[in-house]
Amino acid sequence: MWSHFFLLVVVTIHVKGGEVDVRNFTTPAPEKVTAEVPPAETDDLSPTTFSDTSPGSLPGLLYPRESESREIKSLDGFWDFAVPPSHDVLKGHREEWYASGLSKTAKVMQMPVPSSYNDITTSRALRDHLGPVWYEKTFFMPASWKNKRVFIRFGSVHYLAQVWFNGQVLVNHEIGHLPFEAELSNLALFGQKNRITVAVDNMLVKTSVPQGRIDDVEADNGTVKVQSYTFDFFNYAGIHRPVLLYTKPRVFVEDITTYTAVIADMGVIEYHVTVGGLNEKETPLCQVRVLTAANEYVGNQPITGTLGFVKIPSPRLWWPRSMSNDPGYMYTLEVTVSVPNVTEADIYRLPVGIRTLRWTNTSLLINERPIYFRGFGRHEDSAIRGRGLDLVTTTRDYELLKWVGANGYRTSHYPYSDEVLDMADRLGFLIIDECPSVDTENFSQSLLKRHKQSLSELIRRDKNRPSVVMWSIANEPRTQLPDAGLYFKQVAHHTKTLDPTRPITIALARNVLEDKAGQYLDIISFNRYNGWYSNTGRLDMITKRVMAEAKAWHEKYNKPVLMSEYGADTMPGLHELPEYVWSEEYQMETMSRHFDAFDQLRAEGFFIGEFIWNFADFRTAQTYTRVGGNKKGIFTRDRQPKMVAHHVRRRYHSLNAEIDGDTHHPKDLENYVSSHYSKCSERVKKVDLYI
């Protein structure tokens, strides 16, 4: 019965009061996560020639985790760093700086990894450098690893990475914000010093993801190359996330794909394990067990086989924040593989949250309860470190997200680090996981292939995360263009082929009447800045316009709608009465006018979320419209609250109580004013709770 349940796809459609309910009673066997090798930059085919051929397969890329069979060595820290001259950026390649040691062929400084290199020094030339920079680190490879398989994993290198190991070409990777790895076993000097060299190129062109443009421009000292891009955040570059060496046995767990379900009072984890390193005619033994958060085994015996399911009676479900007193509950799937009497056993433990997810034309439901998002668009951005992983800032961000009462965020406008999303899983935050495609235009075959590749790598990495409840396949693409419909039809199809268990969206910015992409999405997200970019200063032109646009999107596509961006730039400490643009009063009133619209839209039954732009101020390219960057955050760049943060906090916690029945209401939402005011406020709270 159970295997039949999981290996068939049965889709039934019910019509209930105008609501189309698509129920996926089973989960499909996973398709291989796929990507294509991009063609040469000279490929400039017309979008009308787009093909949708079957791409090749990507190997598994599980996050390195220590176990009885696996060891990890971090290469984070100071690396040698060199920059070729701006008039000869390919000097390092031409002179083969990777061949004999970077410090022997170039002037080096020490650069911390992970970090962006742009803001660390006092050099304007380095901050604005265009083209390759070079990193190198030497380290000892443990002699005890000689009989292991050894891999090196980069969490993210932006944008293009070329890697050499002991002077030999190891791996290339294009597209930042996503991990890649390579095996070192046959090149490593065990018990000796080894050398890893990385060239990092930050140039963005019309076929990169995201896109950019490079022009030759006359300057005081001659012609220089200038990078431009339309997206509104700084193009930080460098080795942004941890660099890890780790071991595996010869036969190892290469990949795990999980699906979860709840049937009556039974939780089910379906698993598919890919085993790597097998020789011809070798048959692996795969055993799977599940552990609770208290590290206790579920059941007495392991399940055997690379494909199967584990049943968990009366499971503790993964719930988002405010929907449970115990959000983010995680089990652990323990997988052991070996060739009996031949190889060492490999043990890998994967965190798993049990939850269901489905959507209709009006709702997104988790564990059969409707989700109403209240959160933010964000950036991985902090002073000096740029886009480099900073665990201190990460921890502070989650503390602020809890303080303000948010239940989710979008990873605008690129995938965030494994470490950041691990915390989202454990803390119960809902994630809209976005690929790095921003302001997409100039559609071509080359761009389509890279765009698909970015989604393949993203889904491969995050497919098992319970916090990820939606894929965002682009932000503010030019969906009014003639070829946008065909282009995004194929991107959407590619995404749904890889993962049909989650809805897909795009943060749309074009007018609803001209959009050609929404028909291929499951959920409509839209960005609009009423009172800011349009009708600047007119607070009386927000509420009705937000409501009218949300209704228009739903009427056109008959799908759930959320607002993925809205807000106003604000200089901290600037106060004006009456409200005036850039003042803290104006930002707060802008939010209030949107809140009014959202509450009225919620009553319509199809509106499912509100995301403020932005969580915190962040760096952008230099422009006269930006004073030190984008100031739309409700927190400053150093993570201190603006006046509006307290206003948002009152709203989000009120929604937590009203929508989800959250009883853990903070006691400090209001400051004492007078006994009369306190009594009135208490009466209002009681009325709200009854409603």
Side-chain angles (χ1 to χ4, degrees):
M1 170 187 170
W2 287 96
S3 60
H4 176 73
F5 178 87
F6 274 91
L7 295 178
L8 293 179
V9 178
V10 181
V11 178
T12 64
I13 300 179
H14 306 274
V15 177
K16 302 185 297 184
E19 177 180 274
V20 179
D21 181 6
V22 182
R23 300 174 182 269
N24 291 299
F25 287 110
T26 64
T27 52
E31 299 203 24
K32 269 284 193 177
V33 176
T34 54
E36 304 89 342
V37 178
E41 284 294 331
T42 54
D43 179 8
D44 193 22
L45 298 178
S46 165
T48 57
T49 65
F50 289 157
S51 62
D52 201 13
T53 55
S54 298
S57 297
L58 280 177
L61 192 65
L62 295 171
Y63 186 79
R65 301 182 188 277
E66 285 188 316
S67 71
E68 298 86 334
S69 59
R70 297 185 177 213
E71 297 180 60
I72 298 175
K73 177 182 174 75
S74 173
L75 295 185
D76 292 354
F78 285 110
W79 289 48
D80 286 346
F81 180 80
V83 184
S86 60
H87 63 275
D88 188 11
V89 293
L90 294 180
K91 180 179 181 180
H93 290 82
R94 190 175 60 255
E95 295 181 355
E96 299 182 345
W97 285 2
Y98 54 82
S100 59
L102 193 59
S103 61
K104 296 179 182 178
T105 53
K107 182 180 179 180
V108 301
M109 64 168 288
Q110 295 297 291
M111 183 62 67
V113 169
S115 73
S116 301
Y117 61 74
N118 307 82
D119 291 346
I120 291 176
T121 74
T122 59
S123 168
R124 180 172 65 250
L126 179 57
R127 181 195 64 198
D128 300 333
H129 176 77
L130 181 61
V133 297
W134 292 74
Y135 290 79
E136 187 169 272
K137 191 174 185 70
T138 57
F139 61 92
F140 279 91
M141 186 76 75
S144 59
W145 287 8
K146 188 172 184 179
N147 295 320
K148 298 273 192 176
R149 301 185 70 155
V150 182
F151 293 77
I152 187 169
R153 182 189 194 271
F154 292 84
S156 168
V157 179
H158 186 75
Y159 168 75
L160 177 67
Q162 297 172 282
V163 184
W164 294 264
F165 185 66
N166 291 332
Q168 302 295 312
V169 174
L170 183 65
V171 66
N172 297 331
H173 183 262
E174 182 178 1
I175 302 175
H177 317 295
L178 288 162
F180 63 96
E181 69 176 26
E183 185 167 5
L184 305 178
S185 307
N186 295 330
L187 298 174
L189 303 174
F190 293 95
Q192 301 179 53
K193 187 175 288 188
N194 292 260
R195 179 168 48 88
I196 191 82
T197 310
V198 184
V200 181
D201 192 336
N202 66 347
M203 291 193 293
L204 303 177
V205 295
K206 67 179 181 179
T207 55
S208 58
V209 181
Q211 295 168 292
R213 174 175 172 173
I214 298 173
D215 295 299
D216 291 326
V217 179
E218 287 299 319
D220 292 345
N221 298 319
T223 302
V224 297
K225 293 189 179 298
V226 175
Q227 173 80 75
S228 62
Y229 41 83
T230 59
F231 55 82
D232 190 32
F233 56 94
F234 192 84
N235 185 38
Y236 280 114
I239 302 177
H240 281 159
R241 295 174 189 163
V243 182
L244 301 175
L245 291 175
Y246 73 103
T247 67
K248 305 175 187 176
R250 178 182 55 95
V251 173
F252 60 93
V253 179
E254 180 179 324
D255 197 18
I256 304 170
T257 301
T258 61
Y259 302 106
T260 65
V262 180
I263 306 165
D265 196 33
M266 185 71 68
V268 182
I269 302 175
E270 182 186 3
Y271 66 85
H272 303 252
V273 176
T274 302
V275 180
L278 291 168
N279 292 331
E280 189 177 357
K281 296 183 180 181
E282 285 186 333
T283 301
L285 172 65
C286 177
Q287 294 185 313
V288 176
R289 301 196 72 176
V290 171
L291 294 92
T292 67
N295 209 35
E296 298 173 344
Y297 284 111
V298 176
N300 297 321
Q301 298 295 327
I303 306 297
T304 300
T306 57
L307 169 63
F309 51 88
V310 181
K311 294 182 286 186
I312 302 173
S314 302
R316 296 180 65 175
L317 302 183
W318 189 94
W319 283 104
R321 303 193 66 78
S322 84
M323 295 182 78
S324 168
N325 292 329
D326 186 22
Y329 188 88
M330 301 292 288
Y331 290 90
T332 299
L333 191 75
E334 181 183 273
V335 179
T336 304
V337 301
S338 67
V339 177
N341 302 317
V342 176
T343 69
E344 171 192 359
D346 184 29
I347 302 173
Y348 189 88
R349 296 180 177 91
L350 177 73
V352 177
I354 298 176
R355 56 123 173 96
T356 64
L357 193 69
R358 69 179 181 90
W359 57 97
T360 72
N361 65 322
T362 59
S363 304
L364 174 63
L365 300 99
I366 189 165
N367 303 328
E368 294 304 309
R369 288 177 59 185
I371 293 171
Y372 185 78
F373 294 97
R374 48 264 190 197
F376 302 91
R378 297 181 57 207
H379 270 295
E380 286 190 323
D381 172 280
S382 61
I384 303 176
R385 299 161 182 83
R387 200 142 289 125
L389 175 65
D390 176 25
L391 296 180
V392 174
T393 300
T394 296
T395 303
R396 173 70 173 180
D397 285 353
Y398 276 112
E399 287 299 303
L400 292 175
L401 286 166
K402 290 189 289 184
W403 176 83
V404 82
N407 69 355
Y409 61 85
R410 177 167 59 112
T411 68
S412 42
H413 296 299
Y414 39 80
Y416 291 1
S417 72
D418 291 272
E419 294 79 6
V420 168
L421 292 188
D422 280 347
M423 291 188 71
D425 284 338
R426 293 194 300 271
L427 295 174
F429 283 97
L430 297 164
I431 303 300
I432 300 177
D433 211 352
E434 190 160 272
C435 80
S437 180
V438 190
D439 294 358
T440 320
E441 58 184 350
N442 297 318
F443 305 118
S444 68
Q445 185 75 32
S446 296
L447 179 66
L448 177 64
K449 289 187 175 183
R450 285 180 173 87
H451 196 159
K452 286 182 178 181
Q453 180 177 339
S454 73
L455 284 158
S456 294
E457 294 185 19
L458 172 62
I459 293 171
R460 170 179 66 174
R461 192 193 71 167
D462 293 343
K463 61 187 175 182
N464 296 315
R465 293 191 178 278
S467 61
V468 175
V469 295
M470 201 183 311
W471 304 115
S472 175
I473 62 177
N475 177 75
E476 298 190 352
R478 310 316 188 212
T479 58
Q480 84 285 6
L481 297 176
D483 293 302
L486 177 59
Y487 181 91
F488 282 104
K489 178 181 179 180
Q490 296 196 50
V491 175
H493 174 73
H494 178 74
T495 308
K496 299 295 286 185
T497 299
L498 297 177
D499 181 17
T501 70
R502 292 176 175 91
I504 63 172
T505 192
I506 292 175
L508 298 163
R510 303 303 304 188
N511 186 282
V512 61
L513 297 177
E514 62 183 358
D515 173 73
K516 296 178 174 63
Q519 59 188 310
Y520 304 113
L521 309 176
D522 298 307
I523 291 173
I524 301 298
S525 306
F526 73 100
N527 301 348
R528 194 70 65 222
Y529 291 88
N530 293 289
W532 191 253
Y533 294 128
S534 62
N535 301 308
T536 308
R538 296 304 301 260
L539 293 168
D540 60 340
M541 296 183 181
I542 294 176
T543 304
K544 288 185 177 180
R545 281 172 167 77
V546 171
M547 293 179 61
E549 180 168 7
K551 290 178 181 179
W553 284 112
H554 181 65
E555 288 168 2
K556 181 175 181 177
Y557 292 124
N558 193 29
K559 295 172 182 178
V561 176
L562 63 85
M563 195 165 192
S564 42
E565 289 187 24
Y566 69 97
D569 281 273
T570 305
M571 289 299 295
L574 177 63
H575 295 279
E576 290 213 25
L577 193 65
E579 304 90 347
Y580 199 85
V581 292
W582 289 93
S583 71
E584 299 215 38
E585 286 79 6
Y586 188 85
Q587 185 185 36
M588 193 159 95
E589 187 60 26
T590 300
M591 296 296 172
S592 289
R593 300 298 177 107
H594 282 85
F595 296 164
D596 186 7
F598 298 153
D599 285 349
Q600 294 183 62
L601 285 168
R602 284 194 293 128
E604 298 285 335
F606 65 84
F607 191 75
I608 67 168
E610 54 194 74
F611 290 85
I612 294 168
W613 188 262
N614 191 285
F615 172 75
D617 296 344
F618 57 92
R619 179 72 82 190
T620 65
Q622 296 188 71
T623 170
Y624 56 83
T625 62
R626 294 283 178 257
V627 184
N630 190 301
K631 302 295 187 182
K632 292 187 181 68
I634 73 163
F635 298 101
T636 62
R637 200 180 187 209
D638 60 354
R639 273 49 176 191
Q640 298 301 330
K642 299 179 186 177
M643 187 171 75
V644 74
H646 300 278
H647 188 52
V648 173
R649 184 175 184 239
R650 286 189 287 271
R651 171 162 179 85
Y652 281 4
H653 281 290
S654 296
L655 290 177
N656 291 345
E658 175 191 351
I659 297 173
D660 296 332
D662 184 14
T663 59
H664 295 84
H665 215 57
K667 304 299 184 183
D668 61 346
L669 288 180
E670 300 283 353
N671 293 323
Y672 181 83
V673 176
S674 72
S675 59
H676 174 75
Y677 179 88
S678 298
K679 291 175 183 177
C680 290
S681 297
E682 191 62 34
R683 284 197 294 270
V684 170
K685 287 179 184 176
K686 288 180 179 178
V687 170
D688 286 344
L689 287 175
Y690 282 121
I691 292 174

